[in-house]
Amino acid sequence: MVQISDARTTEASLPARVFDEVSLPITGMTCASCVRRVERSLAKVEGVEGATVNLATERATVRFDPAIAPVDRLRGAVEAAGYGVRTEEITLPISGMTCASCVRRVERAIGRVPGVESASVNLATERATVRYLPGTTEREALSRAVESAGYGVRATQVEGDVEAAEARELAERQHELRILKLKIIASLSVAAILMLLMFWPGWLFGGSPWPHDETFVAQFLLATPIQFWAGWQFYRQAWAVGRHGQTNMSTLVAIGTSAAYGYSTFVTFWPERVHTAGMMAQVYFDSAAIIIGLILLGRFFEARARAQTGSAIKQLLGLAPKTARVVRDGEEIEIPVAMLAVGDLIRVRPGEKVPVDGVVIEGRTAIDERMLTGESLPVEKSPGDEVIGATLNATGAFVFRATKVGRDTALGQIVRLVSEAQGSKAPIQRIADTISAYFIPVVLVLAGGTFAVWMLVGPGARFTYALLATIAVLIIACPCALGLATPTAIMVGTGKGAELGVLIKGGEALEQAHKINAIVLDKTGTITRGKPALTDVIPHGDFASDRLLVLAASAEQGSEHPLATAVVGGARERGLPVGAMADFVASAGHGIEATIEGLIVLVGSPRFLRERGIDPEGVAEAATRLAAAGKTPVYVAVDGRLAGLLGIADTVKAESAGAIAQLGALGLDVWMITGDNEVTARAVAKHVGIGDDRVLAEVLPGEKAAKVRELQERGQTVAMVGDGINDAPALAQADLGVAIGTGTDVAIEASDITLIGGELRGVVTAIALSRRTVTTIRQNLFWAFAYNVVLIPVAMGALYPLTGHLLSPALAAGAMALSSVSVVANSLRLRRFPTAASNRGIASAAFGESVREVA
């Protein structure tokens, strides 16, 4: 930052202006005129001293007065000119957060940093995801903002080294848990001794009586280390936010326990003043110790449970091997997988896992890819075939060349997606965020009001009653449960989805999925396998089926057409030999001609045969039947005679009909969309149980988005299921985009949800899991709200007129600790969500939940 005089004024008395310089990454520029347009747009912004745009680096260097022209205004100027400003995202591990109010406070602190577009803080993962404009801020500035709010930022991970970061964070958490456990044991043990001293003071001295004032001194000596050692973290956290004029959950605990400890200390050392003031000569050292012990115990169980919510990441990371055998200079050396580079030659032996993604260059084998595709049968691999990291080599040894390493591998992308999803927020979380912003101040006001009311109208020793009620209010109030209600459920839900082959992009997608009431399925690659296969062989005259297929396949092996590939593949699947071919001639769009065993073989359309003087009418009836069934008839003639007919179709996946029935059981309106003709489309729809009135046929790729929009205009919330690439416009238009993926092509950017295995049953799992997760979030929020609405009045003394008793501060501490643990435990029930194998159960359970929600 530099300080210069304002050159545009002659008033010497005006103060010097302070200018900043920022480098904005610009997108969308293609030529010199774009440069000039961006420069002019930026120069028009009031407060901008100068702007220079570089087309080669695609960056705009702007000199501006931040007091007049904030960064957001600069970005708006670029966008107004028709261009964009690229943003980046960073994740900061936050320490010191204890409740939902902490989350809100950290978000506001980060959001005030110039150049920050958005900040989302997750209490369950203790991470802040920040989207910002590169060049306007940096990690250090964001960290300072977090620290200025009273919190901390842990050391970040090495880029791409996700596993090392997870291991380091796990070690830190285990260390924290060990210290926490020691404090819990000490606190509860001392609390037990204090209670014995209070109710049975002579137990240490052979039953001889011990004066009360000496008993109080002993309790003071025992309680003091607990108050200021075990409870020190509450003071530290309360002070960290308090010096900025803010509060959090630790503020309540620190004030509540300090009140109990302070009053007890006053009674211990100035008993005569207690009697003079008409107060009860009673100490509450045990209450302070129990409160600290129980709240720490609650945090211990909460931390352990939260660790379980993130188990999906650990399981995914555990799939990859730790070392790889690299071939260099003819020798094999074993190195850590983290040290592999693109282009390395890697040898994999039978029974070993493939370290990273690559292409086979030597050897043949079979790979078990069920971890990605869900397919139980091993897939044959030979030179030129792709292999995926973390899959299992079942049989032979092979050498492959690494093409993707680290975070670029299929597994790395999946881990990144799950990690981002678990750190995201659902829109429903805004309710808790809004309430938590006011929660602690309101509780402090209620506590003050409680003290005042009891001092005015309380019976007998009013100060004692007022103190106990105030402490109970401070301790029982719990915004922690509000903060954990949504993120813990999202963490478990997205993690469980990953285990079942369903990659959910984030909390918003998870929440949106439960609102879906109509689903549009692309036919090719979704309902069907996406590639043609031979289904029928119909001979004519004296030709045998096998003979007909051998001749046709031998002729077709010279063609690269998908139908030819299906014919050749069909022959090989049946174990038939494909003979030698000669004089191959292809007629584009009509058919092929070749000489096989001295015979002239024609394979193609009926028009192709007629042009060569061959009448195809002998198989016309069979061809009509094939077409009505959604199959493509291919005619075959041998030496001038009609030989028969082949049926080829993009076969329906075995699970499609069952999955569509389950989608219907979930209460969804199921549609099929395709570019195929009406006859073929209706045949496929009938086969899988979709009604004729739910078929959208002969729809061009560019028109699919319009069809989705039409359904939305009818008031339906629509999910689109496609391959994630050809159907990208429709996926973007839909309320929820679901991509059918096959491992490497997971189409992360084109969809909200990606099904790794490519099976339609994954859609059933995704929607059912979404509904179960949203139901869990609602349960969590309900109990978190209900807990505070019901128990805060009880702590204030609402039941005293009926029972004659106040709520014990120790019971209040136990209830507060239990509220947070119960929310996390309820979220963990999602881990028992049925597996993909139980789809009927999933559909039934989810449909039942939907009915109950409506009721």
Side-chain angles (χ1 to χ4, degrees):
M1 183 179 292
V2 292
Q3 192 174 46
I4 63 174
S5 297
D6 190 346
R8 290 173 291 183
T9 181
T10 59
E11 299 291 337
S13 60
L14 290 178
R17 292 175 58 186
V18 178
F19 287 91
D20 273 354
E21 189 170 278
V22 67
S23 178
L24 300 176
I26 310 298
T27 61
M29 296 190 301
T30 58
C31 60
S33 62
C34 297
V35 170
R36 184 60 184 157
R37 196 169 295 118
V38 173
E39 287 178 341
R40 282 201 305 266
S41 184
L42 286 169
K44 290 178 182 177
V45 177
E46 184 182 1
V48 171
E49 176 74 11
T52 305
V53 179
N54 189 310
L55 180 61
T57 60
E58 296 183 303
R59 301 190 78 87
T61 302
V62 187
R63 190 181 183 82
F64 68 106
D65 183 346
I68 301 175
V71 175
D72 288 345
R73 192 173 298 173
L74 302 181
R75 179 182 182 183
V78 174
E79 292 174 346
Y83 303 91
V85 180
R86 179 173 52 83
T87 60
E88 291 184 359
E89 197 170 88
I90 187 174
T91 300
L92 303 175
I94 310 296
S95 62
M97 295 191 300
T98 59
C99 61
S101 60
C102 299
V103 170
R104 187 71 173 165
R105 196 164 295 114
V106 174
E107 286 180 341
R108 284 203 303 264
I110 296 175
R112 286 194 290 264
V113 176
V116 170
E117 183 182 86
S118 64
S120 175
V121 178
N122 189 304
L123 179 61
T125 60
E126 296 182 301
R127 284 185 169 87
T129 302
V130 185
R131 182 166 290 279
Y132 66 99
L133 299 177
T136 62
T137 189
E138 53 189 10
R139 188 180 193 277
E140 287 70 21
L142 299 175
S143 299
R144 286 195 298 272
V146 173
E147 290 163 359
S148 70
Y151 303 89
V153 178
R154 294 190 181 95
T156 190
Q157 66 199 52
V158 178
E159 180 69 19
D161 194 359
V162 180
E163 189 169 2
E166 288 288 335
R168 183 166 52 251
E169 187 170 336
L170 178 61
E172 289 177 5
R173 291 185 184 277
Q174 288 177 338
H175 176 69
E176 291 173 2
L177 286 176
R178 281 195 296 269
I179 295 176
L180 197 56
K181 188 185 296 184
L182 178 62
K183 290 183 176 181
I184 292 167
I185 294 171
S187 300
L188 296 181
S189 299
V190 167
I193 296 172
L194 291 174
M195 292 182 70
L196 286 172
L197 283 173
M198 185 171 61
F199 293 108
W200 190 12
W203 72 283
L204 285 176
F205 303 96
S208 60
W210 198 23
H212 271 293
D213 55 348
E214 294 183 15
T215 303
F216 292 169
V217 171
Q219 292 185 55
F220 169 80
L221 294 175
L222 287 169
T224 299
I226 300 303
Q227 185 71 30
F228 298 105
W229 169 66
W232 181 248
Q233 65 190 69
F234 300 117
Y235 288 107
R236 185 182 68 248
Q237 292 165 355
W239 170 249
V241 298
R243 60 197 177 97
H244 300 291
Q246 299 170 344
T247 58
N248 64 6
M249 188 62 211
S250 293
T251 306
L252 301 182
V253 177
I255 293 175
T257 58
S258 295
Y261 175 83
Y263 176 74
S264 301
T265 301
F266 181 79
V267 170
T268 300
F269 294 103
W270 294 278
E272 66 284 352
R273 295 189 181 182
V274 172
H275 293 296
T276 303
M279 296 185 293
M280 293 177 61
Q282 179 68 46
V283 295
Y284 299 99
F285 289 118
D286 59 324
S287 295
I290 290 174
I291 289 170
I292 290 172
L294 288 178
I295 292 176
L296 291 178
L297 183 64
R299 289 193 178 180
F300 177 80
F301 286 134
E302 179 188 313
R304 286 186 58 180
R306 279 157 61 180
Q308 294 179 44
T309 63
S311 61
I313 294 289
K314 299 182 184 67
Q315 291 177 10
L316 287 170
L317 290 172
L319 293 173
K322 301 296 183 291
T323 60
R325 194 173 290 104
V326 181
V327 180
R328 291 179 180 170
D329 300 325
E331 296 184 1
E332 293 181 14
I333 57 174
E334 193 166 306
I335 64 173
V337 170
M339 295 178 63
L340 289 175
V342 173
D344 278 342
L345 299 181
I346 305 165
R347 186 180 300 278
V348 182
R349 296 174 180 173
E352 294 180 343
K353 286 185 176 180
V354 180
V356 293
D357 298 359
V359 177
V360 177
I361 62 170
E362 178 186 314
R364 295 178 180 273
T365 188
I367 302 289
D368 182 351
E369 296 182 339
R370 76 180 69 192
M371 59 79 63
L372 278 176
T373 65
E375 179 60 52
S376 58
L377 295 177
V379 180
E380 298 291 333
K381 300 290 183 180
S382 57
D385 291 336
E386 292 184 347
V387 291
I388 309 300
T391 54
L392 182 64
N393 182 27
T395 55
F398 67 96
V399 176
F400 74 98
R401 187 184 306 279
T403 56
K404 293 179 180 179
V405 299
R407 63 185 302 167
D408 295 327
T409 64
L411 180 63
Q413 292 182 55
I414 293 171
V415 168
R416 177 174 60 84
L417 181 63
V418 174
S419 180
E420 290 175 356
Q422 291 189 335
S424 66
K425 281 189 177 183
I428 198 172
Q429 175 70 19
R430 294 176 190 143
I431 301 172
D433 288 347
T434 301
I435 291 175
S436 65
Y438 306 98
F439 187 88
I440 303 293
V442 168
V443 170
L444 290 173
V445 170
L446 289 176
T450 299
F451 186 85
V453 170
W454 276 98
M455 286 298 293
L456 290 173
V457 300
R462 295 179 179 180
F463 181 83
T464 302
Y465 283 107
L467 179 67
L468 291 177
T470 302
I471 293 172
V473 171
L474 291 170
I475 297 303
I476 206 166
C478 183
C480 306
L482 287 174
L484 293 169
T486 300
T488 52
I490 289 176
M491 284 185 70
V492 182
T494 53
K496 188 63 182 179
E499 291 178 22
L500 301 178
V502 178
L503 299 183
I504 302 169
K505 201 166 188 179
E508 188 170 352
L510 193 67
E511 185 175 341
Q512 185 66 24
H514 99 283
K515 301 176 183 177
I516 298 302
N517 53 33
I519 187 165
V520 179
L521 308 175
D522 182 52
K523 180 184 79 70
T524 305
T526 301
I527 296 175
T528 65
R529 297 190 180 279
K531 58 181 181 180
L534 181 69
T535 58
D536 300 86
V537 180
I538 304 173
H540 178 70
D542 57 356
F543 279 93
S545 297
D546 286 355
R547 177 63 175 166
L548 171 66
L549 183 54
V550 165
L551 292 173
S554 300
E556 288 279 31
Q557 66 182 315
S559 173
E560 295 180 354
H561 194 280
L563 297 182
T565 303
V567 173
V568 175
R572 286 175 175 161
E573 286 177 5
R574 291 165 173 75
L576 301 176
V578 179
M581 171 198 63
D583 303 325
F584 176 84
V585 178
S587 177
H590 297 288
I592 59 99
E593 176 181 341
T595 301
I596 310 297
E597 301 175 9
L599 304 174
I600 298 176
V601 179
L602 304 177
V603 184
S605 66
R607 177 183 174 183
F608 183 61
L609 265 62
R610 287 193 186 97
E611 289 175 351
R612 283 156 177 76
I614 301 170
D615 185 3
E617 289 302 317
V619 291
E621 185 178 342
T624 301
R625 288 198 308 272
L626 291 177
K631 302 175 182 178
T632 301
V634 176
Y635 294 77
V636 182
V638 178
D639 263 0
R641 291 190 302 140
L642 182 64
L645 193 67
L646 304 177
I648 299 175
D650 180 7
T651 56
V652 173
K653 295 177 182 178
E655 74 279 358
S656 290
I660 289 170
Q662 290 156 16
L663 290 171
L666 288 172
L668 300 178
D669 189 12
V670 184
W671 295 72
M672 185 184 81
I673 192 167
T674 180
D676 286 348
N677 61 67
E678 194 81 26
V679 174
T680 301
R682 291 185 184 278
V684 173
K686 182 179 180 180
H687 183 73
V688 297
I690 297 177
D692 286 349
D693 60 338
R694 293 293 184 269
V695 176
L696 304 172
E698 300 179 18
V699 179
L700 297 176
E703 298 172 346
K704 290 182 179 180
K707 293 294 183 182
V708 171
R709 192 181 304 111
E710 287 177 14
L711 293 177
Q712 291 172 324
E713 289 170 354
R714 297 181 191 177
Q716 292 186 302
T717 306
V718 183
M720 172 69 193
V721 185
D723 62 14
I725 299 174
N726 297 330
D727 302 312
L731 288 169
Q733 175 63 41
D735 298 287
L736 184 77
V738 183
I740 297 287
T742 53
T744 53
D745 184 20
V746 293
I748 290 174
E749 299 303 326
S751 63
D752 300 305
I753 295 176
T754 301
L755 310 178
I756 302 176
E759 291 190 0
L760 194 55
R761 286 179 298 190
V763 180
V764 181
T765 301
I767 294 175
L769 177 60
S770 166
R771 292 182 177 182
R772 181 76 63 84
T773 304
V774 172
T775 297
T776 300
I777 291 173
R778 288 173 175 169
Q779 290 171 349
N780 288 346
L781 289 173
F782 171 79
W783 288 115
F785 285 128
Y787 163 85
N788 286 293
V789 169
V790 172
L791 292 185
I792 288 179
V794 171
M796 295 172 70
L799 298 181
Y800 182 82
L802 299 175
T803 64
H805 296 286
L806 289 175
L807 180 67
S808 165
L811 291 178
M816 193 278 277
L818 187 61
S819 67
S820 297
V821 175
S822 63
V823 164
V824 180
N826 188 46
S827 298
L828 286 173
R829 292 192 307 123
L830 286 168
R831 297 175 69 187
R832 300 199 300 270
F833 184 81
T835 62
S838 307
N839 285 297
R840 187 178 299 276
I842 289 175
S844 301
F847 184 64
E849 286 187 5
S850 299
V851 171
R852 287 193 293 274
E853 285 181 23
V854 172

